[in-house]
Amino acid sequence: MRLEKLKMPMNKKVCKICFEEYKISGFSSIFNPNQVICYSCLLSLEPKFISFEEEGVKCLSIYNYDETIKKLLYQFKGCFDKELKDVFLNPYLLELKIRYFGYIIVPIPSYIEDDEERGFNHVEEIFSSLCLKEEKILTKNARMKQSSLSKKDREKISSVMVYKNKIDLSNKKVLIVDDVYTTGNSFRACLALVRKLHPKVIKACFLAKNDRK
């Protein structure tokens, strides 16, 4: 057999972050043929895979909420750059799909008018790449931008989080997802509602964790 036949395929792509052309070859082309960012941008994201527990639920944060992630998220949801939806999870899709196999995604909702303004829900778009069934059972009936509120006011988030589509989740495995975990108030409000639907297992996955309160 000629040596050329043993070589792994090599393809050229354009990075969705820096727009530079790059090549994928070897194991990258096998395990992640739909890779969307170059190796340099991948390193700049600095994934941490932080495991922690909140209200008895096992949680995972893929990144720290540093300046790189903050900038990308702002460009994605603040500047409506929908093409960035795949860059956050794409490098780790295989691991995440194995970890959450059989789970139903329940996104922590945004205020509906914010979704209408940008034309999409950013959390749903980010986690759609996991190809898991999604249930939009919750909604946010008022705008409450937590970064501009006092700690006392942020704790009132449970008053604006309500059921949109109340269904029975008995014997189901549920994955609550959101973009940034900061105080945990939104998560706890959603968790309280999800628990009333009697799922078998609840886990949570956040794109990033912000340790600043």
Side-chain angles (χ1 to χ4, degrees), residues 194-206:
V194 170
R195 277 181 164 157
K196 292 178 181 179
L197 303 177
H198 312 295
K200 180 181 179 181
V201 179
I202 303 175
K203 290 187 178 180
C205 184
F206 303 95

Side-chain angles (χ1 to χ4, degrees), residues 96-143:
L96 292 170
K97 285 181 177 181
I98 292 173
R99 183 189 290 256
Y100 298 121
F101 178 77
Y103 278 76
I104 295 173
I105 285 180
V106 173
I108 293 179
S110 304
Y111 184 42
I112 190 169
E113 289 189 8
D114 292 336
D115 290 344
E116 290 173 350
E117 181 181 359
R118 71 171 64 95
F120 60 91
N121 178 279
H122 60 291
V123 175
E124 293 172 14
E125 290 294 333
I126 289 173
F127 287 93
S128 66
S129 58
L130 295 183
C131 298
L132 296 174
K133 182 180 180 180
E134 180 182 88
E135 292 287 0
K136 303 175 186 178
I137 63 175
L138 306 175
T139 189
K140 200 173 181 180
N141 59 18
R143 181 181 285 109

Side-chain angles (χ1 to χ4, degrees), residues 32-96:
N32 192 9
N34 298 314
Q35 185 175 328
V36 297
I37 62 175
C38 65
Y39 185 65
S40 177
C41 286
L42 174 61
L43 290 179
S44 71
L45 293 179
E46 297 186 2
K48 301 297 183 182
F49 280 83
I50 305 163
S51 296
F52 63 102
E53 193 168 299
E54 180 67 57
E55 295 286 316
V57 173
K58 292 182 178 179
C59 303
L60 175 71
S61 171
I62 299 171
Y63 303 101
N64 277 329
Y65 190 58
D66 58 19
E67 287 303 315
T68 299
I69 296 299
K70 184 177 181 180
K71 180 180 178 181
L72 275 177
L73 271 176
Y74 175 74
Q75 183 177 341
F76 172 53
K77 67 179 187 179
C79 300
F80 315 147
D81 189 352
K82 194 175 179 180
E83 287 298 310
L84 286 174
K85 72 183 185 67
D86 294 323
V87 306
F88 302 101
L89 302 187
N90 180 266
Y92 328 108
L93 276 183
L94 180 60
E95 177 180 346
L96 292 170

